[in-house]
Amino acid sequence: MIKEITFQELNPSQFINEKVNEIRDIVGNGTAINALSGGVDSSVVTMLGHKALGNNLKTVFIDNGIMREGEPAQVSGFFKELGVEVSIVDARDSFFTALKGITDPEEKREAITQTFYKDVFGKLVRESGAKYLLQGTILTDVDETVAGIKRQHNVFEQLGIDPQEAFGYRIIEPLIQLRKDSVRKTGEALGLPKELFDRIPFPGPALSARVIGEATPERIETARKATVVVERLLKNTGAFQYMAILHEDRVTGIRDGKRDFGQQIEIRCWESKDARIATPTNLPFETLQKLANDILDEVPGIVSVTYNIASKPPSTIEAV
Amino acid sequence: MIKEITFQELNPSQFINEKVNEIRDIVGNGTAINALSGGVDSSVVTMLGHKALGNNLKTVFIDNGIMREGEPAQVSGFFKELGVEVSIVDARDSFFTALKGITDPEEKREAITQTFYKDVFGKLVRESGAKYLLQGTILTDVDETVAGIKRQHNVFEQLGIDPQEAFGYRIIEPLIQLRKDSVRKTGEALGLPKELFDRIPFPGPALSARVIGEATPERIETARKATVVVERLLKNTGAFQYMAILHEDRVTGIRDGKRDFGQQIEIRCWESKDARIATPTNLPFETLQKLANDILDEVPGIVSVTYNIASKPPSTIEAV
């Protein structure tokens, strides 16, 4: 049973000191490795590990090819300013190979998870020689699993590491007693930049969740370009979440007087407190027109743009 | 060369008298047949033919299964009130059989045209024994074809009638000297009800142009139900045209707490003078919400609704 540290109980600087010492005690003169995604949890773990181990922590940022425009450079840039070196690992080919031919949303998610753990991060862990693995697991992640030991065993399994054979691997989870609000509070105390916390919620399967149908490099690039426009024009709306979705259906368009059987982008912009119920944002008509015009101008192959007007339920926030 | 009667030149009651006499002279004691679609041209031809021939004109309304809710009954009802008997021919099976498995928009159009002429109307013409065929061709239809004779030959070919073998068939085209505005003026003088002229433009391939992908009976029924909502809520907007389009892409929804992989309806509502350029109508947000809610409530299988925000060009008025 893991003992929760509540938001009220949390003393961030004391918590940071304790965790830094714990990590140092466990790893000693060894080396540790962790994967940074740019989310709050993995960012806080990276800072704690860096404070504890300095250059004995290897932090990797895995570019899976389905991130937003400039995301790997932006995240590693934040950490460079804090004195933390992050290795960007180009694993785009591995992910696109795994996603080839898959159209079912659940199968896409599974392919991304499998590729991340087994093919890419598992290999990095084994090759690094590091025996200590820092993970940003939080209490909410644990709630639904049976017990800590079984869960940790599962992580090894996901990484393709047999703990019997490869004796001595150990997983360190410094945030396991915290919930999201406490992680944020700790992150602020660690000096993580405001932009890291302000970034809009983004799904695990990243842009592959923003294309209906197969996530090819070309289709992901189309969704990425449309996402640039949507984030640029909607970032100051105060909306809960906003996104561009590439449809698979073909619709008729006309370019230079000729029929152009093209693609459609759907924009969703949500008002919500906790994502359980959500309604479309009442955007000014000029904003909708600007969104459509900029996407039609800047995103090759798009001839049609729509705006979602259905609420959740029965809709959901993401389309796939 | 056909001599145009301009809108300014047209004296409707004189024109009606002349055409009624012409039809009577040509058909004599024979019988004639025509197909009524409910459009202005075929409606005017039906009235002229009825005035000239009474019961010696057989008017058929072919229910192709891809019309809007209640359309066959509504159109035949208009004519019943004017004393004109219209036979509704249930040809839904023929059309759906021809549309089976077809997803390409051009192939859908072709299948509908072929089924109409060859399978359904051609057969009705041959079985009726009528040797005279009344058609609502107007001058605009002729503009792009070479000459009257070749065009009429083509009509026979479309109907699967060999004019050599089946000697004596004749096509009568009373509106061939008129353009659309003059046809409307003639229709008003004939006492056709205002509702016939006020109906929103509707494409030849009807609801099959309002489903992306295969036009099955089930998918057409979905588009039909959504069209009822859209026409009900937008009929007083004064917009140029409005429509509901059923997408083929599947999107995630949630019903009764469970994941429901459902379908999406796209609504388009256009401001335009002549359909060459068009912009989406700035509908009040409450109207958009009501459209979405009513469709989600009334149309089974729909979990998502969008509103088109792209202009023509590069979009087009219809999606397929």
Side-chain angles (χ1 to χ4, degrees):
Chain A
M1 189 67 190
I2 297 156
K3 199 194 165 310
E4 177 172 358
I5 301 171
T6 65
F7 187 77
Q8 284 70 30
E9 289 166 2
L10 180 73
N11 176 331
S13 57
Q14 190 191 324
F15 177 82
I16 293 166
N17 278 337
E18 279 173 21
K19 291 297 155 185
V20 165
N21 288 332
E22 261 180 50
I23 297 169
R24 218 175 261 156
D25 286 349
I26 297 169
V27 178
N29 293 323
T31 54
I33 186 168
N34 81 310
L36 170 67
S37 71
V40 177
D41 304 340
S42 71
S43 294
V44 169
V45 162
T46 300
M47 284 310 292
L48 289 174
H50 175 76
K51 271 182 171 301
L53 307 173
N55 287 337
N56 285 344
L57 174 70
K58 183 177 167 64
T59 297
V60 294
F61 182 99
I62 295 171
D63 182 359
N64 56 15
I66 53 179
M67 289 176 183
R68 282 170 288 187
E69 184 76 34
E71 208 162 5
Q74 188 194 27
V75 173
S76 66
F78 287 148
F79 282 88
K80 201 175 186 117
E81 281 190 27
L82 294 163
V84 183
E85 204 61 51
V86 174
S87 310
I88 298 177
V89 177
D90 181 354
R92 292 177 293 178
D93 283 352
S94 301
F95 284 90
F96 282 123
T97 302
L99 286 165
K100 205 173 166 78
I102 298 179
T103 57
D104 180 82
E106 284 305 323
E107 287 176 29
K108 274 194 227 173
R109 269 185 206 96
E110 188 57 24
I112 292 163
T113 305
Q114 288 295 327
T115 305
F116 179 85
Y117 284 107
K118 286 241 164 89
D119 296 359
V120 181
F121 189 51
K123 196 160 165 256
L124 286 169
V125 171
R126 291 190 301 271
E127 288 176 358
S128 71
K131 288 282 180 179
Y132 301 92
L133 180 63
L134 261 66
Q135 281 225 139
T137 325
I138 69 172
L139 192 54
T140 320
D141 300 328
V142 180
D143 279 348
E144 284 164 26
T145 61
V146 190
I149 292 160
K150 183 160 188 298
R151 200 174 37 74
Q152 293 214 356
H153 180 82
N154 286 346
V155 175
F156 283 120
E157 231 173 47
Q158 278 188 304
L159 290 167
I161 292 169
D162 181 343
Q164 306 288 339
E165 272 183 45
F167 183 74
Y169 271 103
R170 188 161 167 193
I171 292 168
I172 305 169
E173 293 173 312
L175 310 182
I176 204 141
Q177 291 169 279
L178 308 185
R179 295 198 186 270
K180 207 77 177 185
D181 48 359
S182 300
V183 179
R184 285 173 174 273
K185 203 171 168 183
T186 306
E188 283 162 26
L190 282 163
L192 287 171
K194 204 176 159 298
E195 294 100 309
L196 258 178
F197 302 104
D198 280 353
R199 296 194 315 161
I200 202 158
F202 205 63
L207 291 173
S208 87
R210 302 287 169 75
V211 302
I212 296 178
E214 191 179 351
T216 64
E218 296 71 28
R219 303 194 73 222
I220 290 290
E221 185 57 27
T222 302
R224 182 181 286 125
K225 284 197 160 74
T227 301
V228 169
V229 174
V230 167
E231 296 196 346
R232 181 176 73 217
L233 294 178
L234 299 183
K235 68 167 183 272
N236 294 324
T237 54
F240 178 75
Q241 202 171 358
Y242 34 86
M243 62 189 72
I245 300 151
L246 175 63
H247 281 219
E248 195 171 21
D249 285 338
R250 292 273 160 169
V251 291
T252 310
I254 191 158
R255 292 253 188 213
D256 306 322
K258 273 183 291 187
R259 202 175 131 93
D260 176 12
F261 217 42
Q263 297 182 94
Q264 184 177 78
I265 289 286
E266 174 187 348
I267 297 165
R268 295 185 176 191
C269 183
W270 294 106
E271 299 299 308
S272 181
K273 288 234 156 58
D274 59 6
R276 278 184 296 192
I277 63 167
T279 51
T281 305
N282 181 357
L283 293 173
F285 192 65
E286 301 67 46
T287 304
L288 293 175
Q289 285 189 304
K290 176 94 175 118
L291 281 164
N293 291 340
D294 285 6
I295 287 173
L296 294 167
D297 282 351
E298 297 175 29
V299 189
I302 302 301
V303 297
S304 174
V305 184
T306 62
Y307 183 60
N308 167 62
I309 56 173
S311 295
K312 173 182 178 179
S315 186
T316 48
I317 296 213
E318 300 281 344
V320 292
Chain B
M1 189 64 190
I2 297 155
K3 197 193 167 311
E4 176 172 358
I5 302 171
T6 65
F7 187 77
Q8 284 71 29
E9 288 165 2
L10 179 73
N11 175 332
S13 58
Q14 189 192 323
F15 177 81
I16 292 165
N17 278 335
E18 279 175 19
K19 291 298 157 185
V20 164
N21 288 332
E22 261 180 48
I23 296 168
R24 218 175 260 154
D25 285 350
I26 296 169
V27 178
N29 293 323
T31 55
I33 187 169
N34 80 311
L36 170 66
S37 72
V40 177
D41 304 341
S42 72
S43 294
V44 169
V45 163
T46 299
M47 284 309 293
L48 290 174
H50 176 75
K51 271 181 171 301
L53 308 172
N55 288 336
N56 285 343
L57 173 70
K58 183 178 167 61
T59 297
V60 294
F61 181 99
I62 295 170
D63 181 359
N64 55 15
I66 52 178
M67 291 175 182
R68 282 170 290 187
E69 184 75 35
E71 208 162 5
Q74 187 194 29
V75 173
S76 66
F78 288 150
F79 282 88
K80 199 172 188 121
E81 280 190 27
L82 294 163
V84 183
E85 206 61 50
V86 174
S87 310
I88 298 177
V89 177
D90 181 355
R92 292 177 291 179
D93 283 352
S94 301
F95 284 90
F96 282 123
T97 302
L99 285 165
K100 205 174 165 74
I102 297 178
T103 56
D104 180 83
E106 285 305 323
E107 287 175 27
K108 276 194 225 172
R109 269 185 205 99
E110 188 59 22
I112 292 163
T113 306
Q114 288 296 325
T115 305
F116 180 85
Y117 283 107
K118 286 239 165 89
D119 295 359
V120 182
F121 190 51
K123 196 160 165 258
L124 286 168
V125 171
R126 292 189 302 272
E127 288 175 358
S128 70
K131 287 284 181 180
Y132 301 92
L133 180 64
L134 262 69
Q135 281 224 138
T137 325
I138 69 172
L139 192 52
T140 320
D141 301 327
V142 181
D143 280 348
E144 283 164 26
T145 61
V146 190
I149 291 161
K150 181 157 188 301
R151 199 174 38 75
Q152 293 215 355
H153 180 81
N154 286 345
V155 175
F156 283 120
E157 232 172 46
Q158 279 189 303
L159 290 167
I161 293 169
D162 181 344
Q164 307 287 339
E165 273 182 43
F167 184 72
Y169 271 103
R170 187 159 169 195
I171 291 168
I172 306 170
E173 293 173 312
L175 311 182
I176 203 142
Q177 292 169 280
L178 307 185
R179 294 197 186 271
K180 207 77 177 185
D181 50 358
S182 300
V183 178
R184 285 174 173 271
K185 202 171 169 184
T186 306
E188 282 162 26
L190 282 162
L192 285 172
K194 203 175 159 301
E195 293 100 311
L196 258 176
F197 301 105
D198 280 352
R199 296 193 316 159
I200 201 157
F202 205 63
L207 290 173
S208 87
R210 300 286 168 76
V211 302
I212 296 178
E214 191 179 354
T216 64
E218 296 71 29
R219 304 194 73 222
I220 290 291
E221 185 57 28
T222 302
R224 182 181 287 124
K225 284 198 160 74
T227 301
V228 169
V229 175
V230 167
E231 296 196 346
R232 181 176 74 217
L233 295 177
L234 299 182
K235 67 167 184 273
N236 294 324
T237 54
F240 178 74
Q241 201 171 357
Y242 34 86
M243 63 190 72
I245 300 151
L246 175 63
H247 281 217
E248 195 172 21
D249 286 337
R250 291 273 160 168
V251 291
T252 310
I254 191 157
R255 292 250 188 216
D256 306 321
K258 273 183 291 188
R259 203 176 133 91
D260 177 12
F261 217 43
Q263 298 182 92
Q264 185 177 78
I265 289 286
E266 174 187 349
I267 297 165
R268 296 185 175 191
C269 184
W270 294 106
E271 299 299 307
S272 181
K273 289 235 156 60
D274 59 5
R276 278 185 297 192
I277 63 167
T279 52
T281 305
N282 181 357
L283 293 173
F285 192 64
E286 300 69 44
T287 304
L288 294 174
Q289 285 189 304
K290 177 97 175 114
L291 281 164
N293 292 340
D294 284 8
I295 286 173
L296 293 168
D297 282 351
E298 297 174 30
V299 189
I302 302 302
V303 297
S304 174
V305 184
T306 62
Y307 183 61
N308 167 61
I309 55 174
S311 295
K312 173 182 177 178
S315 186
T316 48
I317 297 214
E318 300 281 346
V320 292

